[in-house]
Short mmCIF file of all heavy atoms in Angstrom, two decimals:
data_model
loop_
_atom_site.label_atom_id
_atom_site.label_comp_id
_atom_site.label_asym_id
_atom_site.label_seq_id
_atom_site.Cartn_x
_atom_site.Cartn_y
_atom_site.Cartn_z
N PHE A 154 -7.74 10.83 4.46
CA PHE A 154 -6.54 10.47 5.18
C PHE A 154 -5.97 11.72 5.85
O PHE A 154 -6.22 12.84 5.42
CB PHE A 154 -5.49 9.87 4.24
CG PHE A 154 -5.94 8.59 3.57
CD1 PHE A 154 -6.30 8.59 2.23
CD2 PHE A 154 -6.03 7.41 4.29
CE1 PHE A 154 -6.72 7.42 1.61
CE2 PHE A 154 -6.45 6.24 3.68
CZ PHE A 154 -6.79 6.24 2.33
N ALA A 155 -5.18 11.52 6.89
CA ALA A 155 -4.56 12.63 7.60
C ALA A 155 -3.55 13.35 6.70
O ALA A 155 -3.11 12.82 5.68
CB ALA A 155 -3.88 12.12 8.87
N ASP A 156 -3.18 14.54 7.10
CA ASP A 156 -2.27 15.40 6.34
C ASP A 156 -0.96 14.68 6.02
O ASP A 156 -0.20 14.34 6.93
CB ASP A 156 -2.00 16.66 7.15
CG ASP A 156 -0.91 17.53 6.56
OD1 ASP A 156 -0.69 17.46 5.34
OD2 ASP A 156 -0.27 18.27 7.33
N PRO A 157 -0.66 14.43 4.74
CA PRO A 157 0.59 13.74 4.41
C PRO A 157 1.82 14.61 4.58
O PRO A 157 2.92 14.09 4.83
CB PRO A 157 0.39 13.35 2.94
CG PRO A 157 -0.56 14.37 2.40
CD PRO A 157 -1.48 14.70 3.55
N PHE A 158 1.69 15.91 4.45
CA PHE A 158 2.85 16.80 4.49
C PHE A 158 3.48 16.83 5.88
O PHE A 158 4.70 16.69 6.03
CB PHE A 158 2.46 18.20 4.02
CG PHE A 158 2.11 18.25 2.56
CD1 PHE A 158 0.82 18.00 2.13
CD2 PHE A 158 3.08 18.53 1.61
CE1 PHE A 158 0.49 18.02 0.78
CE2 PHE A 158 2.76 18.56 0.26
CZ PHE A 158 1.47 18.29 -0.16
N SER A 159 2.65 17.01 6.90
CA SER A 159 3.20 17.03 8.26
C SER A 159 3.73 15.65 8.66
O SER A 159 4.73 15.54 9.39
CB SER A 159 2.15 17.51 9.26
OG SER A 159 1.00 16.68 9.23
N ALA A 160 3.09 14.59 8.16
CA ALA A 160 3.55 13.24 8.49
C ALA A 160 4.94 12.98 7.91
O ALA A 160 5.83 12.45 8.59
CB ALA A 160 2.56 12.21 7.96
N VAL A 161 5.15 13.37 6.65
CA VAL A 161 6.45 13.18 6.01
C VAL A 161 7.50 14.08 6.65
O VAL A 161 8.64 13.66 6.91
CB VAL A 161 6.35 13.45 4.50
CG1 VAL A 161 7.73 13.55 3.86
CG2 VAL A 161 5.54 12.34 3.83
N GLU A 162 7.13 15.32 6.95
CA GLU A 162 8.09 16.25 7.54
C GLU A 162 8.64 15.71 8.85
O GLU A 162 9.85 15.82 9.13
CB GLU A 162 7.45 17.61 7.77
CG GLU A 162 8.43 18.63 8.35
CD GLU A 162 7.85 20.02 8.39
OE1 GLU A 162 6.63 20.17 8.60
OE2 GLU A 162 8.63 20.97 8.21
N ALA A 163 7.80 15.10 9.67
CA ALA A 163 8.25 14.57 10.95
C ALA A 163 9.32 13.49 10.74
O ALA A 163 10.31 13.43 11.50
CB ALA A 163 7.07 13.99 11.72
N GLU A 164 9.15 12.65 9.73
CA GLU A 164 10.14 11.60 9.47
C GLU A 164 11.44 12.18 8.94
O GLU A 164 12.53 11.73 9.31
CB GLU A 164 9.58 10.57 8.50
CG GLU A 164 8.36 9.82 9.01
CD GLU A 164 8.62 9.06 10.30
OE1 GLU A 164 9.77 8.58 10.48
OE2 GLU A 164 7.69 8.95 11.11
N LEU A 165 11.36 13.18 8.06
CA LEU A 165 12.57 13.80 7.53
C LEU A 165 13.36 14.51 8.62
O LEU A 165 14.60 14.51 8.59
CB LEU A 165 12.22 14.77 6.40
CG LEU A 165 11.57 14.16 5.15
CD1 LEU A 165 11.27 15.26 4.14
CD2 LEU A 165 12.44 13.09 4.53
N LYS A 166 12.67 15.11 9.57
CA LYS A 166 13.37 15.79 10.67
C LYS A 166 14.12 14.81 11.56
O LYS A 166 15.18 15.13 12.10
CB LYS A 166 12.36 16.59 11.51
CG LYS A 166 11.91 17.89 10.86
CD LYS A 166 10.97 18.67 11.78
CE LYS A 166 10.61 20.01 11.19
NZ LYS A 166 9.68 20.78 12.07
N LYS A 167 13.58 13.60 11.70
CA LYS A 167 14.23 12.60 12.54
C LYS A 167 15.45 11.98 11.87
O LYS A 167 16.30 11.41 12.55
CB LYS A 167 13.23 11.48 12.90
CG LYS A 167 12.15 11.91 13.88
CD LYS A 167 11.33 10.73 14.36
CE LYS A 167 10.37 10.25 13.32
NZ LYS A 167 9.42 9.20 13.84
N ALA A 168 15.55 12.09 10.56
CA ALA A 168 16.65 11.46 9.82
C ALA A 168 17.16 12.41 8.74
O ALA A 168 16.93 12.20 7.55
CB ALA A 168 16.19 10.14 9.22
N PRO A 169 17.85 13.49 9.14
CA PRO A 169 18.31 14.47 8.15
C PRO A 169 19.39 13.93 7.24
O PRO A 169 20.22 13.09 7.65
CB PRO A 169 18.84 15.61 9.03
CG PRO A 169 19.23 14.95 10.31
CD PRO A 169 18.24 13.85 10.51
N LEU A 170 19.37 14.39 6.00
CA LEU A 170 20.41 14.02 5.05
C LEU A 170 21.77 14.53 5.54
O LEU A 170 21.89 15.62 6.10
CB LEU A 170 20.12 14.63 3.68
CG LEU A 170 18.89 14.10 2.94
CD1 LEU A 170 18.71 14.87 1.63
CD2 LEU A 170 19.00 12.62 2.69
N GLY A 171 22.80 13.72 5.29
CA GLY A 171 24.14 14.09 5.73
C GLY A 171 24.36 13.89 7.21
O GLY A 171 25.44 14.19 7.73
N GLY A 172 23.36 13.40 7.91
CA GLY A 172 23.46 13.13 9.34
C GLY A 172 23.20 11.67 9.62
O GLY A 172 24.06 10.81 9.41
N ARG A 173 21.99 11.39 10.02
CA ARG A 173 21.63 10.02 10.37
C ARG A 173 21.55 9.10 9.15
O ARG A 173 21.77 7.90 9.26
CB ARG A 173 20.28 10.03 11.10
CG ARG A 173 19.92 8.72 11.75
CD ARG A 173 18.61 8.84 12.50
NE ARG A 173 18.19 7.56 13.05
CZ ARG A 173 16.99 7.30 13.55
NH1 ARG A 173 16.09 8.28 13.57
NH2 ARG A 173 16.71 6.11 14.03
N VAL A 174 21.24 9.65 7.98
CA VAL A 174 21.13 8.85 6.76
C VAL A 174 21.93 9.49 5.63
O VAL A 174 22.16 10.70 5.62
CB VAL A 174 19.67 8.67 6.32
CG1 VAL A 174 18.87 7.94 7.39
CG2 VAL A 174 19.01 10.01 5.98
#
Side-chain angles (χ1 to χ4, degrees):
F154 298 106
D156 171 25
F158 292 88
S159 58
V161 168
E162 182 172 34
E164 297 301 327
L165 296 179
K166 284 183 175 179
K167 289 188 285 187
L170 294 177
R173 191 177 175 192
V174 298

